Amino acid sequence: MVTVMELYQLLPRTNCKKCGESTCMAFAVALLGRKKNVAECTPLLEANFKPQKEKLESLLLPTAGAEETGLIVHPELCTGCGNCVVACPVDVANDPHGAGMGCAPTNEKVIFKVVDGKVMASNIKECRRFGKSKVLCYACIDPCPTGAIEFV
Amino acid sequence: MDIGKFLKSPEYEIKITTYRDIFQAEAMERDRFGEEYKMLSAAISISKIDMQKMGLKPKDRVKISNSYGSIIVEAKETKKDEPGGLAFMVNSPWSNSLVSGDTQGKGIPEYKNINAKISLSKEEITTLEKLIAPFIKKPIPF
Amino acid sequence: MATCTGCALLCDDIEAIVENNRIKETRNACRRGAARMKGCVNRLVPSIDQKPTDIESSIRKTVEIIKNARSPMLFGLDNSTCEAQAKGIRLAKKLNAVIDDTSSFCQGLLIERILQKKLRTCSLDDIRNKADVLVYWGSDAQDSQPRHLSRFSYFPRGESRQRGYEEDRKAIAIDVRESNTAKICKGHFYRIPLKGDREFILALIEALSGKVPAYDTKKMLELAGILKKAEFGAVFVGIGLTYSIKEDFDILTALAEKLPNFNIMPMVGHYNMRGFNEALFKETGFVNRVKLEPKAVHDNKYSIMESLIRKNTDAIIVVGSDPMISLPRPVLTYLASIPVICIDPCISMTSKIAAVTIPCAATCMESGGTAIRMDGKVISLSKIITSEYMPDEEIMDRLMEAI
Ligand code: SF4
Ligand code: SF4
Ligand code: SF4
Ligand code: SF4
């Protein structure tokens, strides 16, 4: 998956602030977090930056499949083991006697569900990585045996 | 004259152990004569270090043989870094082609302890049809 | 709710959405389970000498073959219900046949020890509720029993394990390779050389006895320290360990003695292999490799491998198993040379060389019954779709009647 550094390398790196961010690095972070669009860096629209702009757009393309908050499940890697279902603190809190105990989720408030042998994410707005009191939670990424979950 | 055709690919001794893979098990549930099952079974995972030692690249086809059988499979690099000296195959009719029938009277074959020779090959990957062919008495439609 | 028969965890929390008598979608089943529940693409058809026929003719031909056999064998039944297994054992008895199953070259020796109460064991529910130290030994549960860690062992909150796995449980992997399970065990992965289990156990016993182990001293003392502190531990014995120590199970017993707070759990693959072992054990005192004369005689020569190597079997009924896939190549020539009767829902490598094939219903989709989970708990399987196929239990009945 693309990193902040990769994005940064492709920017004009002049820190001109036209994008509304104080530095190019800050803009790169915002790009990765889907808070800004490539087009907001107006210097990039100039002809001599065309290859960089196209590269940036292609790097950011996979997120078309991402949920609004940037959580991506790669279904081809997922084994459907359910580790993430049980380990996600939101699932435990919202379904303590189902998902939290390793059983099938008993309500629709959980984030992860296994459908046809692969995980599907919903209710992503509940994820602890987002919202006002966000924390950098790794509880679904760490237990995944195949690296099928990613945040972009 | 094509010198290359007189040069045999170097042969190496290799120790193989078998393991299970959920993707291959899934393919088996669906269709054990299918392409997916073949692709996930007819392969050997070798550590990066050993690949380099033997001059192999991922996706190369290799011939693995011993006195029990001989197969052509795809070489892959192990997903995680392995120290080398041991290669891995998913348990399947391909790996079983290399397992001894001698159990020293105990009834348990050495599925996880295979010694064989490996070399680069240009032949096609062995199919399940080919593995089973010697045992079929009459031709049957697949 | 449906039960998945993809492995011996027998997950009974599966939601199967049925449309037009087909399973359209599964929920909660892992990747393997989902594929199993949706069924195989190539169903078996009745045949004699590879020519399609009707099921009645197949059954008649089977009876003719086994009646004429001098030394018939019944093999498999690990993918059958307890009900079918009981009938299979009765059939073998009536035929004075040899009976064996895949546990013969899998976890049979371990399950025998457990049924003989020579090794301490517990239920998977106990593990979920109480276990704090988990040892996956020669077992890649993530790939073989994919929901093991999430349903029972590592991730779930249990009665006395309420704080989550990071705080409440420690998972340890001992293996020859860094498996998916080992990856999850992160800092507690002990890599051992191929066939190195015995030496590792001996060193661990030394460390647990307060001696300084000769082998990898630092890591061994660290491991012994973790194990000693366990309130309720479990060792999940995979075939990696079973194959490595072979018949030398006393060494595992010796280790278990040093670990009084630990239980041994056999990691079983086929969904009802334990059921077969328990049924035969109850009947004969042995878990496999038995000749029913009809008095039960147990001998290694009655194992599927030795029966084929010694060419002792002259006809074989294979139920829900694919020995052409799972046995070493050198014994396949003989297997293919004798009349094989293959009873299975799907086309298999064995069905391709069979003299007679009899299709049966897929358990837990098209037929119900009970099965025994890897920990010994009886789980019921319910039928969720209708089909024209006979359950294997009924096929056993039909063969019994005809003989
Ligand atoms: S507009 Fe572009 S060049 Fe200017 S600071 Fe933002 S990212 Fe950098
Ligand atoms: S990051 Fe944490 S809260 Fe968000 S989905 Fe993953 S486990 Fe759940
Ligand atoms: S932990 Fe990973 S492999 Fe398991 S269900 Fe979740 S995403 Fe899939
Ligand atoms: S873990 Fe085993 S029983 Fe459970 S859903 Fe997966 S294959 Fe089926």
Side-chain angles (χ1 to χ4, degrees), chain C residues 97-100 280 284 286 288-292 296-298 302:
Chain C
V98 171
I99 185 163
D100 196 23
L280 198 63
T284 68
F286 306 100
N288 54 26
R289 304 176 176 184
V290 167
K291 183 166 175 122
L292 294 158
V297 185
H298 175 264
Y302 298 134

Side-chain angles (χ1 to χ4, degrees), chain C residues 31-282:
Chain C
R31 183 177 270 273
R32 178 182 194 160
R36 177 151 183 120
M37 300 207 65
K38 290 196 169 174
C40 59
V41 297
N42 297 309
R43 288 304 288 256
L44 191 59
V45 292
S47 71
I48 298 175
D49 292 327
Q50 298 293 325
K51 283 191 278 300
T53 181
D54 56 275
I55 202 147
E56 295 306 321
S57 311
S58 274
I59 289 177
R60 266 199 305 278
K61 184 72 184 175
T62 302
V63 172
E64 183 193 315
I65 292 172
I66 45 180
K67 269 189 175 162
N68 287 328
R70 196 177 22 81
S71 166
M73 181 171 194
L74 184 63
F75 177 77
L77 289 165
D78 301 308
N79 285 303
S80 303
T81 57
C82 294
E83 293 73 16
Q85 289 171 343
K87 288 182 175 165
I89 294 171
R90 249 193 287 152
L91 178 68
K93 215 171 192 173
K94 192 151 181 189
L95 292 167
N96 289 354
V98 171
I99 185 163
D100 196 23
D101 77 321
T102 35
S103 74
S104 177
F105 51 86
C106 185
Q107 295 283 40
L109 286 169
L110 176 62
I111 294 177
E112 186 173 55
R113 289 264 160 165
I114 284 173
L115 296 181
Q116 290 167 339
K117 303 206 172 5
K118 288 186 181 158
L119 288 168
R120 213 173 19 258
T121 191
C122 66
S123 74
L124 286 169
D125 305 272
D126 288 340
I127 288 170
R128 175 200 280 151
N129 286 330
K130 300 184 220 160
D132 58 344
V133 178
L134 315 159
V135 184
Y136 301 89
W137 200 324
S139 150
D140 180 13
Q142 277 301 143
D143 277 61
S144 297
Q145 295 87 6
R147 294 181 66 202
H148 193 281
L149 278 76
S150 70
R151 277 189 77 204
F152 298 109
S153 50
Y154 191 33
F155 295 109
R157 318 249 161 166
E159 274 163 22
S160 35
R161 303 288 160 216
Q162 283 293 331
R163 288 173 305 172
Y165 71 99
E166 305 99 319
E167 282 180 63
D168 272 344
R169 307 197 206 247
K170 259 200 178 76
I172 294 158
I174 304 170
D175 210 327
V176 296
R177 76 187 173 103
E178 195 183 335
S179 65
N180 280 333
T181 307
K183 186 186 164 212
I184 288 172
C185 297
K186 291 226 173 75
H188 301 291
F189 167 46
Y190 298 83
R191 190 195 296 276
I192 50 170
L194 193 66
K195 308 231 109 200
D197 300 78
R198 200 190 139 79
E199 222 183 314
F200 193 91
I201 294 177
L202 290 173
L204 185 55
I205 291 176
E206 280 184 355
L208 287 166
S209 315
K211 294 188 201 124
V212 180
Y215 178 102
D216 211 344
T217 314
K218 196 166 152 257
K219 285 201 94 178
M220 206 54 88
L221 288 173
E222 170 204 83
L223 177 60
I226 299 173
L227 300 185
K228 271 189 188 162
K229 277 198 225 106
E231 288 168 18
F232 189 106
V235 181
F236 304 110
V237 180
I239 44 175
L241 177 54
T242 316
Y243 283 163
S244 175
I245 59 173
K246 290 253 177 66
E247 59 285 345
D248 192 8
F249 264 90
D250 291 337
I251 186 163
L252 195 61
T253 316
L255 176 64
E257 271 164 25
K258 290 273 168 225
L259 294 169
N261 294 342
F262 275 76
N263 291 285
I264 306 282
M265 178 67 58
M267 296 297 268
V268 178
H270 295 295
Y271 86 84
N272 204 15
M273 192 174 95
R274 176 142 181 178
F276 176 88
N277 292 146
E278 290 201 5
L280 198 63
F281 186 78
K282 223 182 262 162

Side-chain angles (χ1 to χ4, degrees), chain A residues 80, chain B residues 22, chain C residues 3-14 28-34 36-37 144-148 151 271:
Chain B
I22 181 173
Chain C
T3 304
C4 174
T5 54
C7 77
L9 276 186
L10 290 165
C11 296
D12 50 2
D13 59 353
I14 314 295
N28 311 321
C30 72
R31 183 177 270 273
R32 178 182 194 160
R36 177 151 183 120
M37 300 207 65
S144 297
Q145 295 87 6
R147 294 181 66 202
H148 193 281
R151 277 189 77 204
Y271 86 84

Side-chain angles (χ1 to χ4, degrees), chain A residues 26 53 58 74 79 88 96 102 111 121 128-129 142 150:
Chain A
K53 180 173 168 274
S58 78
H74 296 277
T79 66
C88 169
I111 292 185
R128 306 221 159 152
R129 285 184 169 232
D142 276 348
E150 202 171 26

Side-chain angles (χ1 to χ4, degrees), chain A residues 1-2 32-34 62-63 66-67 69-72 130 150-152:
Chain A
M1 208 2 93
V2 60
L32 194 64
R34 313 288 140 187
T63 38
E67 312 291 341
T69 46
L71 167 79
I72 297 185
F130 304 99
E150 202 171 26
F151 282 90
V152 291

Side-chain angles (χ1 to χ4, degrees), chain A residues 38-111:
Chain A
V38 175
E40 287 174 68
C41 165
T42 43
L44 261 188
L45 303 177
E46 282 158 33
N48 52 337
F49 279 115
K50 202 166 169 250
Q52 281 91 329
K53 180 173 168 274
E54 280 169 5
K55 185 82 209 279
L56 274 167
E57 279 164 347
S58 78
L59 280 177
L60 292 163
L61 203 60
T63 38
E67 312 291 341
E68 60 199 288
T69 46
L71 167 79
I72 297 185
V73 178
H74 296 277
E76 73 288 359
L77 295 176
C78 175
T79 66
C81 66
N83 293 354
C84 56
V85 180
V86 181
C88 169
V90 173
D91 289 5
V92 174
N94 287 350
D95 188 17
H97 301 291
M101 280 178 59
C103 306
T106 60
N107 64 45
E108 292 300 317
K109 288 189 283 182
V110 294
I111 292 185

